[in-house]
Amino acid sequence: MQMFENLPWYGYVILAIAIASYAIRYFKIGKKEYDAPVKTKAKFRKSPNSGLNQEQLFGLALYTPIAEWWKANTNTLSFLTAKDVKPYLEGWGIDTVEGYWDLTEYFMKDGRRWYFDFIQGMIENEPQEKWDELMDQKFGSNERAHRYLKTLSSGEALNSLKQKGIILFDSELQLGVAGYDATVLVGQARKAYTGNIISEEEAWKVINFAKALALQHFSSWEDFGKSFALGFAIDMSANSNTYKEEVFHLYKQVLESPDSPWNTIKWP
């Protein structure tokens, strides 16, 4: 400590600046590491007491990438515990019967397809000077719609997925986001059933609808998965980047692992 006692006044200033600079750098590095996605290994957990048939397992498999993030079983309608899913149900406003069915009917009828199909078609077929007028006519001041326009017109989501090797060609935008809508329907049905919001019969009704939606639009797990990834990338806001990276890390394992439901359950 004696060496510091003999410093000139400006020496203390320099020392203070150096300490502050180091602290700021340390904080930034620490925060970056804290925010970095956890590279979780997919486990494809199974209950020994499932009893579900192949059609039911296929329906559940539509939700596999996000189910892996939750560390949920792949072969049960129930999804963790009612306590685990309560914050999710509350966050989406589906913790009541009325709230659940309002959102579910929206995803069945329109979903994120409503935004994507119109906006992507507009970008491809209309001059840019007409976009504001067309957006106002269709969506008004809808914040999500304008976020979709920004993301799609800039190529942000597409370029990100291409960098990750999830999508290879621009033409794969034509797959749309029906895969994402189907995924959301399955996941929310499982959680609502677990949270005692809907009955088992009602949950399977929704999952069967999601299955039909997926089969209507896709002929393979690969195409379905790309559609899910595209919708997920566009729909998640910027403050969900860590979550997105974790899910995409799991998505690749779901697509490639021989133990994944996507490789053990045949696409019909």
Side-chain angles (χ1 to χ4, degrees), residues 32-239:
K32 184 178 180 181
E33 290 178 352
Y34 178 81
D35 290 342
V38 177
K39 299 300 185 182
T40 306
K41 180 174 174 57
K43 300 292 187 182
F44 308 114
R45 297 163 180 80
K46 291 183 179 180
S47 166
N49 304 310
S50 172
L52 300 183
N53 61 40
Q54 283 297 107
E55 288 189 11
Q56 291 172 318
L57 292 172
F58 173 82
L60 298 184
L62 299 175
Y63 194 61
T64 303
I66 300 181
E68 283 301 307
W69 183 85
W70 282 85
K71 299 179 175 60
N73 285 333
T74 61
N75 65 343
T76 58
L77 178 60
S78 59
F79 195 90
L80 303 179
T81 68
K83 182 180 178 181
D84 291 324
V85 301
K86 184 179 179 182
Y88 177 94
L89 297 174
E90 291 176 344
W92 278 79
I94 55 175
D95 53 329
T96 65
V97 172
E98 182 181 15
Y100 172 77
W101 284 113
D102 281 348
L103 189 63
T104 296
E105 287 169 5
Y106 155 75
F107 267 99
M108 285 178 162
K109 181 177 182 292
D110 295 313
R112 304 315 193 211
R113 309 184 299 286
W114 185 59
Y115 298 103
F116 180 89
D117 293 350
F118 179 86
I119 294 171
Q120 185 59 28
M122 180 187 73
I123 291 171
E124 292 175 352
N125 300 307
E126 299 290 347
Q128 188 170 351
E129 56 266 24
K130 290 188 65 176
W131 291 359
D132 287 344
E133 178 186 353
L134 292 170
M135 289 290 291
D136 186 60
Q137 290 174 358
K138 180 72 173 179
F139 303 109
S141 59
N142 187 300
E143 182 181 344
R144 188 183 300 273
H146 289 280
R147 177 155 57 84
Y148 266 55
L149 174 61
K150 179 178 179 295
T151 304
L152 287 168
S153 62
S154 67
E156 178 185 332
L158 179 63
N159 291 334
S160 174
L161 293 176
K162 287 169 74 174
Q163 288 171 4
K164 291 175 171 56
I166 294 174
I167 282 181
L168 301 179
F169 307 105
D170 292 0
S171 60
E172 289 175 312
L173 276 173
Q174 300 302 319
L175 289 169
V177 298
Y180 176 71
D181 285 342
T183 298
V184 171
L185 284 166
V186 173
Q188 293 188 345
R190 293 185 68 184
K191 295 184 184 79
Y193 167 71
T194 304
N196 299 310
I197 305 298
I198 60 174
S199 68
E200 180 177 357
E201 181 181 357
E202 290 170 325
W204 285 119
K205 176 183 176 182
V206 173
I207 293 170
N208 286 337
F209 178 93
K211 182 175 70 173
L213 179 65
L215 293 175
Q216 177 187 346
H217 285 86
F218 311 107
S219 58
S220 68
W221 280 116
E222 184 178 8
D223 283 350
F224 167 81
K226 290 178 180 180
S227 174
F228 155 73
L230 179 61
F232 184 76
I234 298 170
D235 202 50
M236 293 293 106
S237 60
N239 59 7

Side-chain angles (χ1 to χ4, degrees), residues 23-39 241-243 245-246:
I24 292 170
R25 183 170 176 270
Y26 182 83
F27 173 78
K28 285 183 176 178
I29 293 172
K31 185 178 186 303
K32 184 178 180 181
E33 290 178 352
Y34 178 81
D35 290 342
V38 177
K39 299 300 185 182
N241 282 340
T242 300
Y243 171 54
E245 291 303 314
E246 291 173 359

